[in-house]
């Protein structure tokens, strides 16, 4: 059985390296802004990750949802907190985000299984 968490992270790292190897100043700055936006400030990192999860779900970006689910898990955010954030995303995004909600649930389970296997 394939491990979707490891596969996602390997693909993301490989492609980010390829993108950054082109040394495009604008793309590098966007990546930097993204990294810095999710560091703790007036809002803690947990809150920012949940905001990122909601925005990513509403925008229907499955890769972004996966990224924020993993970051949320690493921050110690509980499944209940994630589900509450996803409920807001579904309310705001409407029924069109339900397929992304399904994949988010599936990926959260994969994250938990991956963490338990370590």
């Amino acid at each position: 059985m394939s491990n979707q968490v490891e596969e996602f992270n390997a693909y993301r790292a490989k492609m980010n390296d390829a993108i950054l190897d082109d040394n495009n100043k604008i793309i590098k700055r966007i990546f930097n802004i993204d990294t810095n936006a999710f560091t703790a400030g007036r809002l803690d990192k947990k809150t920012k990750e949940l905001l990122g999860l909601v925005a990513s779900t509403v925008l229907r970006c499955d890769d972004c949802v996966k990224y924020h689910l993993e970051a949320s898990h690493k921050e110690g955010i509980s499944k209940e907190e994630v589900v509450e954030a996803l409920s807001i995303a579904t309310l705001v995004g409407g029924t069109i985000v339900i397929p992304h909600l399904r994949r988010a649930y599936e990926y959260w389970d994969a994250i938990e299984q991956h963490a338990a296997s370590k």
Side-chain angles (χ1 to χ4, degrees):
M1 182 176 177
S2 68
N3 186 321
Q4 62 177 307
V5 174
E6 289 177 6
E7 288 173 11
F8 172 72
N9 287 320
Y11 176 77
R12 184 177 179 276
K14 174 185 161 189
M15 295 313 300
N16 281 353
D17 287 345
I19 290 165
L20 294 172
D21 283 348
D22 277 342
N23 206 28
N24 180 283
K25 187 185 332 181
I26 295 169
I27 291 173
K28 281 188 167 188
R29 286 181 177 174
I30 291 169
F31 274 53
N32 183 271
I33 289 169
D34 181 66
T35 298
N36 286 314
F38 287 92
T39 60
R42 293 287 182 163
L43 296 176
D44 63 16
K45 190 161 172 36
K46 290 172 81 170
T47 301
K48 288 184 175 187
E49 288 304 336
L50 290 172
L51 289 168
L53 177 61
V54 169
S56 297
T57 305
V58 171
L59 292 169
R60 302 186 308 270
C61 176
D62 285 332
D63 281 6
C64 305
V65 168
K66 287 177 180 179
Y67 175 83
H68 290 293
L69 285 171
E70 281 196 59
S72 294
H73 191 268
K74 287 176 186 170
E75 286 299 312
I77 296 172
S78 69
K79 181 175 182 176
E80 293 78 14
E81 292 168 306
V82 166
V83 169
E84 194 165 323
L86 288 170
S87 72
I88 299 299
T90 306
L91 171 69
V92 173
T95 57
I96 196 163
V97 304
I98 290 173
H100 305 276
L101 179 63
R102 289 184 193 116
R103 288 189 286 276
Y105 265 73
E106 176 185 36
Y107 199 70
W108 183 265
D109 289 344
I111 293 168
E112 288 186 330
Q113 289 172 4
H114 186 260
S117 72
K118 288 189 167 193

